[in-house]
Amino acid sequence: MSKVYTTEELIQILAAERQACLKGERLKLEVKVSGNPVIDQFIRTDGLQKFTAYQDFKAAIHDYQRENQVSGVIWREMTVKGKSLRYPEVDTQLIALNSDLEILKSAKNSIWDFWCAVTAKMDLYLSFNNSKQHQKVTIADVERIAHITEWASLWKWENSNFLEIILQLGWGKPEEASYKRGRPKSGSEFIHAVNPGNLPIG
């Protein structure tokens, strides 16, 4: 029986392949920009060839995940204001299996409780227009969003004089949720908590 790669090994394989594609060591040569041979001869296609080569490789890894039931979940730890939380998220280069979605759903309440505890008295903003704009919201607004979503994830930006904690509240497949391409079946909203008087940067 052949060895089945682990989640961590797949992440390493994808990182190495991405670097090889960026260096031009992997190209999908048949890629054309416009499909018109007269126009295509004047357009540099190497960037598109590199991108397409990586996307094809990543799709093959996703097929491998499904066939071998290799989880896309990795475990993160966040510490804010002396409180710590270990929580699951799907690696950005992998996909979530159905079993992974169940793991994410079961962690939502602990992520929500942690976020509420560490963001008390902070200003809250909902991002929109692909995170280019932010609108101030209340905790009641965020609770309504949390109530209708399935899973959550966290990020933070922190230095000596700034703290931003981002709560992603999502539904459907995480790999389709961030970039609006999966709507309406998959999607997410991002809530940014910052100290009073600050604006989100993430």
Side-chain angles (χ1 to χ4, degrees), residues 108-123:
K108 180 185 170 190
N109 287 342
S110 60
I111 292 171
W112 170 255
D113 292 344
F114 175 83
W115 187 82
C116 286
V118 299
T119 61
K121 300 183 181 173
M122 295 177 82
D123 288 345

Side-chain angles (χ1 to χ4, degrees), residues 5 9-22 26-28 49-66 93-95:
Y5 291 102
E9 288 170 331
L10 291 183
I11 292 168
Q12 291 170 357
I13 289 167
L14 279 164
E17 185 66 16
R18 185 169 186 268
Q19 285 304 311
C21 290
L22 288 172
R26 312 272 196 285
L27 296 174
K28 185 160 185 179
Q49 290 168 339
K50 292 173 189 177
F51 175 78
T52 306
Y54 180 69
Q55 293 304 313
D56 287 353
F57 186 83
K58 189 164 74 166
I61 292 291
H62 295 169
D63 289 342
Y64 180 89
Q65 277 186 264
R66 288 184 202 98
Q93 300 301 307
L94 298 176
I95 60 166

